[in-house]
Amino acid sequence: MMFLSLKSRLSPYLINKRHLVLVLVVAVVFLYSSIFLILNERKVLSFKKFDSKPQHAEEPAPTIIEDILLSSSKPPPGRTIFFIESSCYRSGSQYDMRSIKAHQACPIESAAFHNPNFQVFVLFACPTHRNESLPIIDALQSYKNVQFRSLNLDRYAQDTPIADWLKKGDLFKSRYLMFHLSDLLRLITLYRFGGVYLDMDVLQLHSLEDEPLNFAGAERADSIGNSVIGLEPNGFGHQLGELFLQDFQVNYQGDAWAHNGPMGLVRVLSEICGTKNVTLMMNNRDRCQGFKVFDVNSFYEVPYQQWPLFFDAEKASKTLARTKDSRMVHIWNHIVTKWPLKIDSKSAYMQWAAQYCPRVVAATGELFY
């Protein structure tokens, strides 16, 4: 009984002692944790102090490419060569200029190289930006006559013969939308400004500065290509631009690949030249009211079925001899599968590239994409 009575009297003290021990343990753990966190923070701060790279550096704001119709710098009418990138077109789409490859940039440089008194405008069919210094783009912009602009399709078509038709939406039901959009945009561009349109796979071998406008080239004996078109900004050239746009909407077929492009030129020029025989149109401005249809050799000497000739080093001499009188060569990028090439390749293509787009070649390194 005495033992129980003593234990009963000491119980509060024992409980308080246990509490004290528990508090001391918690305090020690807290103190140790605080010291660890402080030391660790000092270590991190020390690392940041000597780290040469910022930890959360913001990327530079992208450079937005101006809209061609809203820009204060417009293409000189009849003195501009146009290229159009139409792989994006919706209002919500954006194009990053990092997507431009060397084999697309090379034709652009060749146009600037051969025609220093012309402006070269590269148009993008949607909002476009660049986030950083890009060697290939810097190479192109080292030419004072190269400009980049975007376009808004609805705005671009306003006040042209195609504006009302475009609102109907038939274009966007196309089975080959990107190609048909490209067919249309080149016609709107030439209607608005005149000048020369070139596909981004047309490599220029000679200057166009002394060639009168209003021309295209025979792709075959029975076909006229629309990869190269030149129209005057006014007069007969402007009238032709209107006729081409009218034909586009009247004869539009969304499930036919070439019907709205090359065949549209044939349909209109058959009326202008008074014949459907393309051979009779060739090099005969008088017959075609001042419009010149260049012969096949001028732009399309190597047809799409023979595109490997451009890249075969063993056949380079024959290919160069075959195209020695050509003003341009169409490389047929939509079917070519040879990229990349070594820049020291002896192929006809790389020999042309070294000569006519040397800055793009220098910007690509050992491989040309």
Side-chain angles (χ1 to χ4, degrees), residues 216-219 282-283 292-300:
E219 189 173 314
M282 292 183 196
N283 299 319
K292 181 174 182 178
V293 178
F294 282 90
D295 60 27
V296 174
N297 173 263
S298 295
F299 308 146
Y300 305 103

Side-chain angles (χ1 to χ4, degrees), residues 338-355:
K338 276 290 184 180
W339 315 114
L341 298 172
K342 292 184 177 180
I343 61 169
D344 59 357
S345 165
K346 300 303 180 183
S347 65
Y349 183 91
M350 286 312 301
Q351 291 190 54
W352 286 322
Q355 189 171 0

Side-chain angles (χ1 to χ4, degrees), residues 15 41 77 160 162 199 250 303:
I15 292 173
E41 180 66 15
T160 75
I162 205 77
D199 273 358
V250 169

Side-chain angles (χ1 to χ4, degrees), residues 69 151-172 180-192 238-253 260-261 264 267-268:
L69 297 184
L151 63 88
N152 175 282
L153 178 58
D154 293 333
R155 184 186 300 123
Y156 205 52
Q158 287 178 7
D159 303 319
T160 75
I162 205 77
D164 291 338
W165 177 85
L166 189 62
K167 293 176 183 177
K168 296 178 181 179
D170 290 348
L171 175 68
F172 298 100
H180 291 165
L181 176 64
S182 179
D183 291 333
L184 177 59
L185 286 175
R186 71 194 67 186
L187 298 180
I188 295 176
T189 299
L190 295 176
Y191 176 83
R192 280 189 168 278
H238 190 66
Q239 293 172 14
L240 272 177
E242 183 173 359
L243 290 175
F244 288 144
L245 285 172
Q246 289 173 351
D247 177 86
F248 189 95
Q249 58 184 298
V250 169
N251 294 296
Y252 179 77
Q253 292 183 13
N260 312 302
R267 287 191 296 270
V268 172

Side-chain angles (χ1 to χ4, degrees), residues 205-206 295 297-298 320-328:
L205 308 182
H206 299 285
D295 60 27
N297 173 263
S298 295
L320 293 173
R322 180 174 169 179
T323 57
K324 64 182 179 62
D325 295 323
S326 298
R327 291 172 174 264
M328 308 178 200

Side-chain angles (χ1 to χ4, degrees), residues 16-27:
N16 290 339
K17 186 176 181 181
R18 289 171 183 167
H19 285 176
L20 180 61
V21 171
L22 180 61
V23 169
L24 289 174
V25 169
V26 170

